[in-house]
Structures are given as C-alpha cells and as structure tokens.
Amino acid sequence: MTTDSHYRALLVAVRGLIACDAVALLRLLPEQAGEAVLQPVAVDGLAEEALGRRFPAAAHPRLARLLASGPQGLRFAADAGLPDPYDGLLAHQQALQAVHDCMGMPLHHEGRLWGLVTLDALNPKAFNRIDPGRLQVVTNLLESGIAAQQSMQALAARAEQAQAVAQEHWQGGRPRELLGKSAAMNQLKREIDTVAGSDLTVLILGETGVGKELVAQRLHAHSARSARPLVQINCAALPETLADSELFGHKRGAFTGAVADRVGKFELADGGTLFLDEVGELPLAVQAKLLRVLQSGEVQRPGSDRLLRVDVRVLAATNRDLGHEVARGRFRADLYHRLSVYPLLVPPLRDRGRDLLSLAGGFLEENQHRLGARNLRLTPEASAALLRQRWPGNVRELEHLVSRAALRAWAEQAPGGRWTAIELRHLGLEGAAEVLAASSAPAAPMQAAPGQGLREATEAFQRQWIEAALLRHGGSLAGAARDAGMDRSNLLRLAKRLGLQRCG
C-alpha cells in the first residue's frame, strides 16, 4: 500500500467513527524562518485541489489554535468568527453555506507534534454528542497508522535525507515539486529514484511544459551529489559564438571582448550535476566539443593550453525526437548515444488524470500569496472543465491559465467574501461550459416546490443530476463522477446520502 492510500484508508476509518462532511490529515512541515506550515497528506470530502495547498498557521488562526490545543483537541463554536481554511474546498459545499461545525486534534509521533486531523460538518450540531472517549479512539488510530507509515518510510531514509538538502526551484515563495499520484507519475518517480543514486547520464524526454526541469532537480536531490551544485544552462538560448564561453569558460584575451578570465558551467558544476536543458537545440559545432568533454572528463578553456579535470554528472532534456534529428543529420549520433544512457519520458498532462487538480491547487496557492487574495477556489464546474481539456502546452499552459483566472476573479471579488471562486468565465473556457451544460442539464428546468428551502432544493437538483448522469453512462458511477469532476467514492457517498439506492 502506498503512503497516499494508507493515509486515505485511515481517514475512511475516521469517518466511520465520526459522521462528518470532510476530514483531513495535515502534516507539520519542517519550520522555515520560524514559520509553522501544514500540508494535507490525505483528504476525504474535500476537493482534490486541497492536496496542492499549504497552510501557514500564522495565516489560519483555527489551525494555529488546534496546534496549540491539548490531547482532546478543540471544537470551534459555530459563531467563532475565525476564517475557516477550507471555505470553498468542501466537495459539496454550496456558495451560501459556511462550515458551521469543525474540530480537530493534534497528532504526535515519537513524542513530537506530527500534525493535525481536522473534521468539518455543515450541520452546526453534528459533533454535539461525540464523547472524549471516541475522540481518543480516533487519535490512537491515526497515531498508530502514522507510526506504521513512518517505519516503512525509514527504509528509504537515504532518499529522504537527500531530498532534504536538495536545491529546489522556488517560485512564488514555495518550492516546486513533482506533484501527482497517477499511475504515470508514480512510474516516473520510481524510475527517477532507481537511476538517481548512480552517475549514469540521463536524457529527460517529454513535450514542452511537462516539467523536465523538476525531474532534473529530483534526480540531483536524490543523488550522492545533492550537497554539491546543480548548474543549469538553457542550450536554446546559447548563440554558437558564446557557447564555448558559457560551457567551458575562457581566458582573458581569447577573443575580442574577453577582458577577464571566465569560469564555464562545467567547472562550476565540478563535483555536482550539470543540467543541459533543450540540448537538441545545440549547433553541430558545439555538439562536437561537448562530446569531447563527456568522453574525456577534461575541459580546455578557449585561449588556454591547460586541461582541467572535472567530475560532473550530466543530465540533458529535450522536447525533440533526437533519433529523428540524428537521421536528418541535425544531431550527432555519438552524442545522442552518450546522452541517452538512461532515458526518462515525462508523461504529458493529459495522461496524468486527476493530478491536474492538485497542480491547479498549487498554482492557486502561489497566486493567492502573490495577489494577496483570500482563499482562491475552483468551482466544481471549473474543475470539470479543466479535466476535459487536452493541454497541448501541458503543466506550463495550466499554470498560465490558472494565473490569468486568479487575477480576473480577484479583481471582481467583493469585500468580505470568505473565498474567491474561480469560475468558468474566469478560465476563459466558455466552450467547455456549453459542453458541460449540455451533458449535465436535467431534462426540464429545475424549480423549487412551494415551501421548499434552499437545502431541500439543492438536494433535489443533485439527485436529479446524478440520475441523469448515470443514465447517460449506462449506470457507470465512474463515468458520472468524471462528469461531476468528483472522486468516485465521494460521488457514491453523496448518492447514498441522497437516497439513491441504485448506486449502492
């Protein structure tokens, strides 16, 4: 069982002990600059984008108070007046509803604070009859599960230690990571971890925008060279006249304008890793010089007779088909074989399934800090539309689209809102809205019955929508869940709560 499924199974057990609308397991990250930050490691009943979020305790007073609470945890009054970190993230939360009942307990491992479990319910009286003994059972269950998982992770301690000292790429104040739990991404991570500890040259392949740079960073972080530099150079931005100087350095006077000695990237990476991004763009003349260095391990600065020995592991990346480039005479066959000792293919975003929502959540978090916006959240319709796209520009295209949408939604946000909803119109996916409406609309317009309240009308609409979706997909719950932009288990739980026995 993977770490993800292990923690998720624990949360399912918790919901069996305590009825609630959402439960989350949050781990306390190592403090940076004295700041306590919590990261969800598993959620049940929350939107999947929550897994891409991080919650600084200083910005979320409810979480800060839970961290400081005793063994019995803390339950917040319905009128506590503190902002809820999950506003807009509950899988079935309606725009006019707030999270009325919430509580949580601190969790410990080996005598240290490990994190929190939080439980939320839309019914303000949901936790009225929960006795301290049951809360203790939940705490014991989770802490035992955490201890078991930590023991398993200790078997991979070397990789974890390497990751802790990694030089990670920072964007928007937080490290970028290879997010994703799909089969394709899990396979890629296994391949990375297999080759990372060796000194083999790795050729990272994949379409534009899939995250090849993050693969290079993970390879370096999990290698024996992780404490040494990771030096990156974009080969596509190298004019042939400057390539020698950038890669190998030069001596003063080697050419016009060389007014001082310069250290090249190979020397800077000595003892560490050199990442040649877009290596397929190198001119043929530079390819020949690069091949000589890879074969001999020696660098000669232009203008110098001295050979410098360097110990560098080379990683290269390209979106080109280098085999095809070799056949057309645009890339040297010997260099291709020297670089592709261990090829790694990074899957495109369209093959990563619902990983997209975790990525979108991470990008929303970055924009939230950048804009000073409050709780940027995707609406269910927006999430469903994102999942329907083909993403020719991959993760980079998703990042830019989310950034534009965040800016548009933030500009419209009225003062005092609990969260800022990212809607289809903010994403600019109106075409997707029409497809979604056509596939999900009931046969006739839904109208509230006389005397029917908002909650009853909402549940009636949900019941009718799910029945129509099941009919479209021949009774397939998985197909209906895709239309809803929901996890299958969450849709099943909602359907049972609404009394749809055919889903059982």
Side-chain angles (χ1 to χ4, degrees), residues 30-331:
E31 287 195 8
Q32 297 172 1
E35 183 180 32
V37 178
L38 290 154
Q39 181 177 31
V41 295
V43 297
D44 194 29
L46 292 181
E48 289 171 84
E49 65 168 285
L51 293 171
R53 302 276 182 167
R54 293 189 180 184
F55 298 95
H60 296 283
R62 289 186 186 238
L63 298 181
R65 290 182 61 181
L66 288 175
L67 285 173
S69 64
Q72 294 300 322
L74 183 65
R75 180 185 177 192
F76 295 94
D79 59 354
L82 298 174
D84 195 293
Y86 305 141
D87 267 346
L89 284 176
L90 264 72
H92 312 304
Q93 186 173 4
Q94 301 300 312
L96 297 180
Q97 293 175 319
V99 180
H100 289 298
D101 208 352
C102 62
M103 66 181 191
M105 291 86 75
L107 301 171
H108 295 80
H109 174 62
E110 295 182 345
R112 296 183 178 181
L113 183 61
W114 183 90
L116 297 173
V117 60
T118 61
L119 301 100
D120 291 275
L122 297 176
N123 180 354
K125 300 179 181 179
F127 303 145
N128 280 0
R129 298 184 178 180
I130 298 175
D131 60 87
R134 179 159 297 198
L135 294 179
Q136 189 60 53
V137 169
V138 169
T139 299
N140 292 344
L141 168 70
L142 291 173
E143 290 183 343
S144 297
I146 290 166
Q149 188 60 35
Q150 293 296 305
S151 297
M152 288 186 283
Q153 288 179 339
L155 299 175
R158 180 176 176 274
E160 292 295 328
Q161 291 166 358
Q163 189 173 20
V165 298
Q167 296 180 353
E168 293 184 282
H169 175 59
W170 282 76
Q171 176 94 8
R174 59 171 287 185
R176 284 279 177 88
E177 305 168 18
L178 271 178
L179 290 177
K181 300 173 183 176
S182 62
M185 286 303 292
N186 285 336
Q187 175 63 27
L188 173 63
K189 291 175 185 177
R190 285 193 294 269
E191 289 284 339
I192 292 172
D193 295 344
T194 296
V195 72
S198 73
D199 262 351
L200 295 180
T201 304
V202 177
L203 181 62
I204 306 166
L205 305 167
E207 298 175 8
T208 296
V210 292
K212 296 186 286 294
E213 180 181 351
L214 296 183
V215 173
Q217 290 164 9
R218 185 179 176 110
L219 283 165
H220 177 72
H222 287 215
S223 75
R225 298 172 179 263
S226 59
R228 301 291 297 166
L230 169 62
V231 177
Q232 177 176 340
I233 186 167
N234 184 352
C235 299
L238 272 183
E240 186 172 350
T241 53
L242 297 179
D244 277 0
S245 179
E246 287 290 327
L247 288 169
F248 315 122
H250 62 245
K251 291 291 289 183
R252 185 179 66 177
F255 52 85
T256 302
V259 296
D261 289 355
R262 176 169 185 170
V263 177
K265 294 296 192 290
F266 269 95
E267 288 181 71
L268 289 174
D270 192 23
T273 305
L274 178 63
F275 175 42
L276 302 171
D277 198 10
E278 303 296 349
V279 71
E281 308 298 325
L282 281 176
L284 283 168
V286 180
Q287 293 177 31
K289 296 174 184 178
L290 174 60
L291 177 63
R292 285 197 296 271
V293 176
L294 295 179
Q295 290 173 332
S296 67
E298 294 178 335
V299 172
Q300 184 175 7
R301 292 185 188 178
S304 172
D305 295 329
R306 182 186 173 195
L307 290 176
L308 301 172
R309 189 78 187 173
V310 291
D311 173 24
V312 175
R313 185 194 192 176
V314 172
L315 309 175
T318 183
N319 59 9
R320 290 178 177 264
D321 181 345
L322 291 189
H324 181 67
E325 296 295 290
V326 168
R328 299 187 65 179
R330 296 197 297 222
F331 201 87

Side-chain angles (χ1 to χ4, degrees), residues 272-501:
T273 305
L274 178 63
F275 175 42
L276 302 171
D277 198 10
E278 303 296 349
V279 71
E281 308 298 325
L282 281 176
L284 283 168
V286 180
Q287 293 177 31
K289 296 174 184 178
L290 174 60
L291 177 63
R292 285 197 296 271
V293 176
L294 295 179
Q295 290 173 332
S296 67
E298 294 178 335
V299 172
Q300 184 175 7
R301 292 185 188 178
S304 172
D305 295 329
R306 182 186 173 195
L307 290 176
L308 301 172
R309 189 78 187 173
V310 291
D311 173 24
V312 175
R313 185 194 192 176
V314 172
L315 309 175
T318 183
N319 59 9
R320 290 178 177 264
D321 181 345
L322 291 189
H324 181 67
E325 296 295 290
V326 168
R328 299 187 65 179
R330 296 197 297 222
F331 201 87
R332 292 180 63 102
D334 43 9
L335 178 58
Y336 169 55
H337 293 300
R338 174 69 64 169
L339 292 174
S340 60
V341 176
Y342 199 105
L344 283 177
L345 179 62
V346 185
L349 184 56
R350 61 183 172 274
D351 291 344
R352 302 187 199 179
R354 302 184 72 84
D355 285 353
L356 180 144
L357 296 180
S358 294
L359 289 164
F363 294 141
L364 286 175
E365 186 79 10
E366 291 177 3
N367 282 277
Q368 186 169 289
H369 292 298
R370 186 182 300 124
L371 297 172
R374 184 173 181 179
N375 297 340
L376 293 171
R377 307 295 192 235
L378 290 169
T379 64
E381 295 79 11
S383 295
L386 291 178
L387 289 168
R388 292 172 184 270
Q389 303 305 300
R390 294 298 294 167
W391 303 108
N394 291 290
V395 180
R396 188 177 299 126
E397 181 185 358
L398 173 66
E399 177 187 3
H400 294 166
L401 184 142
V402 167
S403 296
R404 292 192 298 270
L407 182 60
R408 291 166 183 158
W410 176 71
E412 295 177 3
Q413 176 68 13
R418 293 192 308 272
W419 71 84
T420 303
I422 308 290
E423 301 179 2
L424 278 167
R425 58 193 176 84
H426 300 131
L427 295 171
L429 299 176
E430 287 81 1
E434 295 171 4
V435 172
L436 186 62
S439 65
S440 61
M446 181 71 192
Q447 294 184 356
Q452 191 177 45
L454 176 62
R455 187 181 186 91
E456 291 80 9
T458 299
E459 290 182 349
F461 173 79
Q462 290 174 327
R463 195 176 294 110
Q464 187 174 353
W465 191 99
I466 294 172
E467 287 176 338
L470 287 170
L471 184 63
R472 284 196 306 276
H473 291 281
S476 168
L477 190 65
R482 283 195 301 272
D483 279 2
M486 294 172 60
D487 181 83
R488 182 184 181 280
S489 61
N490 289 339
L491 182 61
L492 176 61
R493 192 175 296 111
L494 174 63
K496 288 184 174 180
R497 182 170 67 79
L498 295 172
L500 297 175
Q501 300 301 320

